[in-house]
Amino acid sequence: MSVAPAVGAEKVTVPGILARKSIPENSRRRITCLTAYDFPTARLLDDAGVDITLVGDSLGMVVLGYDNTLAVTTDEMLHHLRAVRRGTRRALLVADMPFGSYHVSLNESVRDAIRFIKEGGAEAVKIEGGERRMDLILRLVEAEIPVMAHIGLTPQSIHALGGFRVQGRTESAAAKLLRDARAVEHAGAFSVVLESVPRELAAEVTRELQIPTIGIGAGPDCDGQVLVFHDLVGLTQGASPKFARRYADLSSEISRAASEFCEDVRNGRFPSDAESYHLPSELRERRAATKHA
Ligand code: KIV
């Protein structure tokens, strides 16, 4: 499995992401992160210059058709992670640890995280939760596994949170978000995703932390931004959240292409003669002559 970056492109690393925070704010380039779940998408994102490719457990909803992310298994994640690994050379490759893979015991969690690194080729793992994940983050960092934390709206806690809701909107919820942010930084996370939190609060966290914040529905003041690939290109079924800007409408394009194919096949317009293979002319003539003899 080759992970060398393309010629002329510098490999994005964990220290490189961390170092972005120490660049003076006016010359700092924001970090870009997108999700991918397969080889061709990974290659396209890498060629486009995305800094971090995340194999998110959003896999469950946007690719596998589950209602939420809770059903995704470690084996499903690994299957997609390996495909993304094969298509990723420059970007830092981060794998989401799915629900259940870090909720039983610290030892089991570290073992599963090691699978993502060894079997999947990830360079870091992402886990959801703040203060309550401190012990786990410490253990993972001790095992040489870089950790991206994820706080705010954490989709694996959907039942506990009561749905997909903006977080940190009350005095106590805002104070909790700040505590979570400080805790994951203190435990050794190299970055933190802030999902669905008010812009002002995300800005405050970003100012306070020494590690980069990567926002999704957290306003423009974070150190970087992440979106789910299927939202970005208009492949998500149903309504998308308001922060998920659509940069393309691939659903319409794919529907159009599939309908046109069906029409052409039904009307005999596909394939054309130019799209067909032919016998060598000598053989064709001999066979035609035998037929007419
Ligand atoms: O699973 C995922 O895609 C994520 C991102 C939305 C951050 O966690």
Side-chain angles (χ1 to χ4, degrees):
M1 141 169 47
S2 163
V3 292
V7 178
E10 201 181 321
K11 173 81 184 93
V12 181
T13 61
V14 166
I17 292 293
L18 256 174
R20 297 270 193 105
K21 192 84 181 194
S22 47
I23 299 171
E25 212 175 312
N26 52 3
S27 51
R28 192 183 299 164
R29 233 171 1 110
R30 289 203 172 92
I31 298 161
T32 55
C33 177
L34 285 172
T35 64
Y37 317 97
D38 58 41
F39 171 77
T41 308
R43 223 164 54 170
L44 290 169
L45 300 190
D46 215 53
D47 289 348
V50 163
D51 295 317
I52 302 175
T53 297
L54 169 69
V55 182
D57 64 352
S58 48
L59 165 78
M61 296 175 78
V62 299
V63 173
L64 302 179
Y66 300 146
D67 286 338
N68 54 50
T69 59
L70 299 179
V72 178
T73 65
T74 294
D75 286 338
E76 284 169 338
M77 288 298 295
L78 277 168
H79 175 76
H80 288 268
L81 174 60
R82 285 190 210 103
V84 171
R85 173 70 284 166
R86 292 189 280 271
T88 305
R89 291 192 290 173
R90 175 187 171 271
L92 180 74
L93 181 57
V94 180
D96 233 348
M97 293 194 65
F99 180 66
S101 68
Y102 59 101
H103 301 78
V104 179
S105 73
L106 285 180
N107 284 347
E108 269 184 50
S109 311
V110 176
R111 210 171 291 128
D112 262 30
I114 288 174
R115 287 190 73 194
F116 285 112
I117 308 290
K118 269 177 104 95
E119 298 173 36
E123 293 157 290
V125 296
K126 177 165 83 58
I127 58 173
E128 295 185 6
E131 275 185 305
R132 66 183 186 280
R133 301 287 174 236
M134 279 186 81
D135 287 349
L136 175 57
I137 297 174
L138 283 162
R139 279 288 302 275
L140 291 171
V141 171
E142 196 181 83
E144 316 295 348
I145 301 171
V147 177
M148 174 183 274
H150 182 161
I151 61 174
L153 171 58
T154 46
Q156 292 174 14
S157 325
I158 179 180
H159 296 317
L161 295 174
F164 294 99
R165 299 213 170 90
V166 178
Q167 302 295 302
R169 271 186 154 156
T170 63
E171 195 64 58
S172 65
K176 180 183 178 325
L177 190 92
L178 272 160
R179 276 201 312 277
D180 282 339
R182 290 185 197 119
V184 297
E185 171 173 274
H186 187 70
F190 75 93
S191 60
V192 57
V193 169
L194 305 179
E195 178 163 354
S196 295
V197 297
R199 170 182 182 169
E200 300 77 10
L201 189 55
E204 205 178 319
V205 172
T206 302
R207 273 194 307 275
E208 189 167 314
L209 295 192
Q210 308 294 309
I211 58 173
T213 58
I214 300 178
I216 174 159
D221 306 306
C222 297
D223 298 304
Q225 295 292 328
V226 54
L227 280 181
V228 168
F229 174 76
H230 287 57
D231 288 338
L232 179 95
V233 298
L235 275 175
T236 313
Q237 308 291 310
S240 296
K242 79 167 180 181
F243 58 77
R245 188 185 295 178
R246 250 186 200 205
Y247 285 82
D249 183 8
L250 292 196
S251 288
S252 305
E253 262 300 282
I254 292 171
S255 296
R256 185 199 53 72
S259 306
E260 253 180 58
F261 165 78
C262 292
E263 277 289 301
D264 284 353
V265 170
R266 287 178 190 132
N267 296 324
R269 286 193 300 261
F270 177 82
S272 67
D273 187 58
E275 288 159 333
S276 307
Y277 296 112
H278 291 281
L279 287 169
S281 52
E282 192 190 307
L283 180 56
R284 195 165 57 211
E285 280 156 24
R286 197 169 339 120
R287 289 178 71 83
T290 332
K291 213 159 121 194
H292 292 124

